[in-house]
Amino acid sequence: MKAQKRLGILTSGGDCPGLNTVIRSVVSHATLSYGWEVWGIPYATTGLLEQKAIPLAMHGLDLHGIDPLLCIGGTILGSINKGDTLAHVDEILAGYQALELDALIGIGGDGSLGILNQLQSQGNWQFIAIPKTIDNDVALTERMVGFDTAVNTIVDALNRLTFTAASHDRVMIVEVMGRTAGHLALHAGIAGGADVILIPEIPYSIPEICQHLAELRDRNWRRFAIIVVAEGAHIPLDSSCNPSCEKPACGITQYIADEIKRCSTYPIDVRVSVLGHIQRGGIPSASDRLVATAFGKAAVDLVAAGQSGLMVAWHNGRVMPVSLGRVLAKSPLPVDPNGFLVETARCMGIYVGKK
Ligand code: F6P
């Protein structure tokens, strides 16, 4: 017979800065306020399947009194980002039982939270979700762990690229992550001073981009430009590529670069940078640490209140619970093409695609 409540915690899906900050928050609050045991499940559902768990105690998180988990990126628990988990449902449910968990907190994006939601309903777990993703596409929450740091990382890259672009009169085309959504590209593009932002939610035209670049050059004496492309951007409306080819073999960003060179009425020097997983690394920003800490604390309180099937969400400056089922029904959340950020970008003279 266990004397204490045993809380499990896992991180699932692509990593991002701030996951360790959530773990720290959960361990601190569960231990200090409720006196529970917290067990870290390594590599998400793989840990459950293999019946592995690591005890997470306050003193184990300290390094001579310094708490590194507040600020180191990635996840000390490891994570998985593959979709074959549901082929092992019975073993995972058996693992949860064998580890004698009373409740589980899962930190994930919409894909991994969908899998965990299915498992929790089949296993009748007490389960609370915490949203994280650099893609910013989990519905019903205004903030999610990892996004702010990724935006800052991209803006830092855009600052650097702007100086070298200006020195050589070049057009720099920068591909950013975001999967099927354009939040990262839109936020970082506005904050980083982009001239063109191309996102999956808004169709765009290569001749219009070329005209925009020519106007910058002729009217504003701007001989360089920064173009931010979301990795999920579709081929342009006026593509020379076969309309059935949704993804050009060279990749969407190189394709756009080639099309701009082909279509421009004056010689144009173009370079492509794909930021890739740099966007997922680094130490979490102050804002992500704050959100991660508040989410971890709120998730523990929901477990204490006997709640399940809920996700902690940021709403109007507060953390509140929302139904995980409702969140998943509306995720992944795209950029609103008529939203205030797209309008703001256009008012700054940024080309964001067709109106
Ligand atoms: O969902 C986060 C994300 O970084 C996406 O923006 C990107 O498309 C994907 O994960 C990359 O996944 P992986 O790390 O498996 O290559």
Side-chain angles (χ1 to χ4, degrees), residues 14-15 81 132-135 137 177-180 184 231 277 280:
D15 75 323
N81 203 5
K132 67 86 213 165
T133 171
I134 68 163
D135 302 337
D137 58 356
M177 284 185 166
R179 215 179 282 267
T180 56
L184 260 184
E231 65 177 350
H277 289 78
R280 293 233 302 256

Side-chain angles (χ1 to χ4, degrees), residues 283-351:
I283 64 170
S285 66
S287 177
D288 269 335
R289 293 184 204 186
L290 183 83
V291 171
T293 304
F295 277 172
K297 183 261 179 207
V300 169
D301 286 339
L302 287 174
V303 172
Q307 300 283 349
S308 187
L310 299 176
M311 185 188 85
V312 293
W314 197 282
H315 185 64
N316 283 342
R318 296 186 53 200
V319 179
M320 52 198 299
V322 290
S323 147
L324 181 55
R326 280 186 57 224
V327 169
L328 294 170
K330 290 177 186 283
S331 299
L333 187 75
V335 168
D336 176 0
N338 303 310
F340 80 98
L341 275 185
V342 171
E343 188 194 336
T344 302
R346 291 203 169 111
C347 292
M348 295 300 111
I350 303 171
Y351 177 82

Side-chain angles (χ1 to χ4, degrees), residues 123-259:
N124 203 20
W125 300 345
Q126 189 189 358
F127 178 75
I128 300 295
I130 297 180
K132 67 86 213 165
T133 171
I134 68 163
D135 302 337
N136 203 44
D137 58 356
V138 177
L140 302 184
T141 180
E142 289 156 13
R143 303 178 73 173
M144 50 215 79
V145 177
F147 178 64
D148 182 71
T149 311
V151 170
N152 283 313
T153 303
I154 299 168
V155 168
D156 179 58
L158 296 182
N159 291 340
R160 291 163 194 267
L161 289 166
T162 299
F163 289 124
T164 173
S167 304
H168 291 275
D169 293 348
R170 280 177 173 156
V171 173
M172 292 288 181
I173 310 194
V174 187
E175 181 182 300
V176 304
M177 284 185 166
R179 215 179 282 267
T180 56
H183 301 282
L184 260 184
L186 184 61
H187 285 241
I190 293 172
D195 301 292
V196 175
I197 303 173
L198 304 177
I199 59 176
E201 294 85 350
I202 305 182
Y204 61 95
S205 134
I206 296 290
E208 283 182 6
I209 294 172
C210 290
Q211 193 189 335
H212 185 70
L213 298 180
E215 278 172 16
L216 277 177
R217 183 183 137 111
D218 298 341
R219 217 169 354 137
N220 305 347
W221 282 86
R222 270 270 256 107
R223 294 176 172 275
F224 71 93
I226 303 290
I227 301 181
V228 176
V229 179
E231 65 177 350
H234 301 296
I235 55 167
L237 287 172
D238 34 31
S239 167
S240 65
C241 168
N242 180 332
S244 65
C245 108
E246 284 183 3
K247 289 274 169 230
C250 61
I252 187 65
T253 307
Q254 186 59 51
Y255 177 78
I256 291 168
D258 294 342
E259 288 291 282

